[in-house]
Amino acid sequence: MSKVPSVIHWFRLDLRIHDNLALRNAINEAENRKHLLRPIYVLDPNIKSKIGVNRLRFLIQSLQDLDTNLRKLNSRLYILKGNPVELLPKFFDQWQVKFLTTQVDIDPEIVDQEEAVEKIAEEKDVFIIKRVQHTVYDVYSVLKKNNGAVPLTYQKFMSLVNDIQVKEAKDISKVVSDYCKPTDEDLDAYDVPKLEEFVDESTLTPCKYPGGETEAIKRLNNYMAKKQWVCKFEKPNTSPNSIEPSTTVLSPYLSHGCLSPKLFYHKLKEAESGMKHSDPPVSLMGQLMWREFYYTAGAGTKNFDKMVGNPICMQIPWVKKEEYIKAWAEGKTGYPFVDAIMRQLKQEGWIHHLARHMVACFLTRGDLWVSWEEGAKIFEDYLLDYDWSLNAGNWMWLSASAFFYKYFRVYSPVAFGKKTDKEGLYIRKYVPELKKYPTAFIYEPWKAPKSIQNTAGCIIGEGYPHRIVDHEKIHKENMQKMSSAYRMNKEKKAMKRSIS
């Protein structure tokens, strides 16, 4: 047991030093009271079975970078392995903890853990400080401003936050005093684990997006230096199938908290200052505000990540077809554009936002009639930038279950990709079995004559699968199903109103 009381900063979502108010509070408390400072991260020993390898690699890299940056401040990161609810009470006693600082989040699983830990902390007289720093705005204050109601449109959300001042993001540069640095135990036991402890690194594809605050700041500064590009950015005009990303790919750094959304906000304001620029919702600022919109909706909606019991979600009789889910997840639907997107996602952990639109629509209302919850689970596994509220919100939008109701607007798995990549270079990269197909058939290889299939070295049905469904036929049938579901939901709501 430590003879000197401790202050803990619990890193959960914000794996960074800059704009970390909770960490700043922990440092100040430790300095003022001459307590020991212990920044911690609680790692689930079974994490390998819960998230995909790309996200696991990104997380480990982010933790390693965080530890490096903390050491520059004369501190370090303590990795604790286990369940926070079972683990932290033991360390409260062992380290004589007096203060605990952490971040506010809305993910129900995290909130449940935090509430359990807070109850124990109260019993042990541990004072807790929580800071809003994973979002630009305090989403609970936004909800309060709207009389507790969830803003169901982007425009309504923007009207609520339009007059809210966003405080500047601040760095932490003060070096921690030696008397706040623990030396009373085997510190090696708390080191950040190496990736090789979880996976065979030789089986991984090359890392395109290294995790960590250092890389986040570097990437942010590189893009913000391109003021003309920032000001002209419009999401619909970017390419979902460019070989190199046509967007910033800052989303994984935001979701892991390696980049402060407030810092991003102010850097965007700075880049736009005095210049003609695009506006929300299509601008870069608009994209950041979409994140805030979904966080607000997620914070105020019960069962936000489910269909049943979710008050804003359309109840639709989806059918669970395991063979469809498997083919879609593995990029073997027989539609090259869809398959290329899913294979890129599995290999690299990231795909363009419009590519997400394509495959989400295809899985749900467009073609396969599978629940958006199934797609959300697979995205949770694959995405580097997985975020509980954004994942659920976007899937509801693309399945026309909430927020967006023009279900008759269906993405074509053939025509949509051709708009920005007529030659099919993207398909040739991620679906290499089709790389020798003539351009005329690269999006529709089933139309190629047998002689061309032979020449290209890939027979449809052998080297590449037959189409899982006929899009032209099935999407029309699915529109009729959506129409019926909408009508039934409307009738149920009318009945509830008449009873009440």
Side-chain angles (χ1 to χ4, degrees):
M1 183 178 290
S2 173
K3 295 179 181 179
V4 181
S6 296
V7 176
I8 284 181
H9 172 66
W10 185 9
F11 285 100
R12 299 213 56 150
L13 296 166
D14 294 337
L15 306 182
R16 64 174 188 269
I17 305 295
H18 75 275
D19 193 35
N20 194 323
L21 298 176
L23 175 61
R24 181 187 294 273
N25 289 148
I27 293 172
N28 289 339
E29 288 292 346
E31 292 281 346
N32 294 338
R33 298 174 184 273
K34 289 186 166 50
H35 289 354
L36 299 178
L37 174 69
R38 301 180 194 267
I40 68 167
Y41 182 87
V42 183
L43 186 66
D44 186 340
N46 300 314
I47 193 168
K48 182 186 171 183
S49 64
K50 297 183 178 180
I51 65 175
V53 292
N54 283 316
R55 186 146 68 99
L56 177 58
R57 174 168 60 183
F58 193 96
L59 173 61
I60 296 298
Q61 290 171 340
S62 299
L63 293 173
Q64 290 168 342
D65 185 65
L66 177 60
D67 183 52
T68 298
N69 290 337
L70 283 168
R71 289 175 189 270
K72 292 174 184 176
L73 299 179
N74 198 34
S75 186
R76 60 156 293 161
L77 184 62
Y78 290 72
I79 299 294
L80 310 183
K81 297 176 182 177
N83 182 320
V85 180
E86 298 170 356
L87 205 60
L88 288 183
K90 298 175 184 176
F91 283 97
F92 287 165
D93 293 336
Q94 182 179 324
W95 289 341
Q96 292 289 291
V97 176
K98 300 300 179 185
F99 289 87
L100 170 67
T101 68
T102 191
Q103 315 94 54
V104 172
D105 190 50
I106 66 165
D107 183 326
E109 184 178 344
I110 292 178
V111 171
D112 287 346
Q113 282 185 352
E114 285 181 343
E115 288 177 350
V117 170
E118 285 171 19
K119 185 177 179 182
I120 296 166
E122 186 177 344
E123 293 170 357
K124 294 181 177 291
D125 291 325
V126 178
F127 187 77
I128 295 179
I129 299 171
K130 295 176 73 173
R131 295 291 189 184
V132 174
Q133 54 193 48
H134 198 57
T135 50
V136 174
Y137 304 105
D138 179 348
V139 295
Y140 294 105
S141 294
V142 176
L143 288 168
K144 187 176 180 181
K145 193 175 181 182
N146 200 40
N147 298 317
V150 173
L152 294 178
T153 67
Y154 182 87
Q155 291 75 16
K156 177 62 178 176
F157 169 79
M158 291 298 286
S159 72
L160 292 169
V161 300
N162 188 50
D163 61 349
I164 298 177
Q165 294 297 311
V166 180
K167 292 182 179 179
E168 292 290 335
K170 294 181 180 179
D171 286 333
I172 296 176
S173 56
K174 181 183 176 183
V175 175
V176 175
S177 302
D178 284 339
Y179 58 72
C180 294
K181 190 173 181 180
T183 58
D184 58 346
E185 56 204 330
D186 179 13
L187 296 178
D188 292 345
Y190 303 105
D191 285 348
V192 179
K194 293 181 173 59
L195 184 61
E196 64 190 30
E197 296 177 37
F198 298 96
V199 296
D200 179 359
E201 293 186 69
S202 66
T203 63
L204 301 180
T205 55
C207 181
K208 291 191 71 171
Y209 311 110
E213 177 181 18
T214 302
E215 180 67 23
I217 297 298
K218 176 183 172 183
R219 195 171 191 91
L220 174 70
N221 289 338
N222 284 344
Y223 276 97
M224 293 304 103
K226 306 172 187 176
K227 290 196 172 188
Q228 288 287 350
W229 183 86
V230 171
C231 292
K232 289 181 179 179
F233 181 93
E234 292 186 348
K235 191 194 77 173
N237 295 330
T238 58
S239 172
N241 47 5
S242 55
I243 299 301
E244 288 301 319
S246 57
T247 56
T248 64
V249 195
L250 285 170
S251 53
Y253 302 94
L254 287 166
S255 66
H256 283 79
C258 301
L259 174 63
S260 159
K262 278 188 266 189
L263 178 62
F264 190 20
Y265 175 93
H266 286 295
K267 288 287 186 181
L268 285 172
K269 285 288 188 183
E270 189 180 305
E272 293 176 348
S273 180
M275 298 183 70
K276 184 178 179 182
H277 56 82
S278 55
D279 295 313
V282 299
S283 64
L284 275 176
M285 180 64 79
Q287 299 309 291
L288 182 59
M289 290 300 104
W290 276 111
R291 181 176 186 270
E292 299 291 312
F293 168 60
Y294 281 136
Y295 258 83
T296 306
T301 305
K302 187 177 180 181
N303 297 314
F304 189 65
D305 59 346
K306 300 174 180 64
M307 179 179 78
V308 176
N310 181 339
I312 69 169
C313 185
M314 195 74 63
Q315 303 298 299
I316 297 171
W318 307 109
V319 177
K320 187 171 183 177
K321 297 181 180 178
E322 293 294 349
E323 69 274 20
Y324 280 11
I325 297 169
K326 188 172 186 291
W328 178 84
E330 294 180 357
K332 295 179 180 179
T333 67
Y335 282 93
F337 184 41
V338 172
D339 293 343
I341 293 169
M342 293 306 297
R343 293 187 196 186
Q344 181 191 18
L345 174 58
K346 191 172 184 179
Q347 289 170 31
E348 300 173 8
W350 182 88
I351 49 175
H352 188 282
H353 196 68
L354 295 176
R356 302 178 198 206
H357 286 204
M358 174 70 253
V359 295
C361 179
F362 185 88
L363 180 69
T364 57
R365 62 190 169 87
D367 294 79
L368 303 186
W369 200 252
V370 170
S371 171
W372 61 268
E373 289 181 66
E374 299 299 328
K377 289 174 191 173
I378 290 164
F379 269 28
E380 179 177 358
D381 187 29
Y382 287 173
L383 281 173
L384 286 180
D385 59 10
Y386 168 75
D387 187 301
W388 179 79
S389 55
L390 272 70
N391 194 43
N394 278 320
W395 273 98
M396 280 189 278
W397 181 294
L398 269 302
S399 63
S401 295
F403 307 116
F404 174 80
Y405 303 105
K406 296 180 180 179
Y407 59 82
F408 44 84
R409 290 189 178 177
V410 174
Y411 290 88
S412 164
V414 174
F416 186 55
K418 284 184 178 180
K419 291 179 182 178
T420 46
D421 181 22
K422 290 182 172 59
E423 299 296 317
L425 299 178
Y426 179 78
I427 291 171
R428 296 178 201 281
K429 177 177 180 179
Y430 292 104
V431 190
E433 57 266 46
L434 299 177
K435 65 183 177 182
K436 293 183 180 179
Y437 265 65
T439 299
F441 300 108
I442 193 67
Y443 282 89
E444 301 171 281
W446 60 87
K447 289 186 176 181
K450 208 58 171 286
S451 59
I452 289 179
Q453 294 183 31
N454 276 315
T455 302
C458 181
I459 305 297
I460 302 305
E462 297 176 14
Y464 183 72
H466 288 294
R467 288 185 295 169
I468 195 167
V469 292
D470 181 342
H471 172 74
E472 289 307 314
K473 178 183 177 184
I474 201 72
H475 89 273
K476 293 173 183 175
E477 293 177 7
N478 288 347
M479 275 197 282
Q480 291 301 316
K481 292 179 185 177
M482 288 296 289
S483 178
S484 297
Y486 268 56
R487 186 171 59 254
M488 287 185 68
N489 275 268
K490 188 176 180 180
E491 289 171 357
K492 286 180 182 178
K493 285 183 179 180
M495 188 178 296
K496 281 184 180 180
R497 282 196 296 267
S498 64
I499 293 172
S500 60

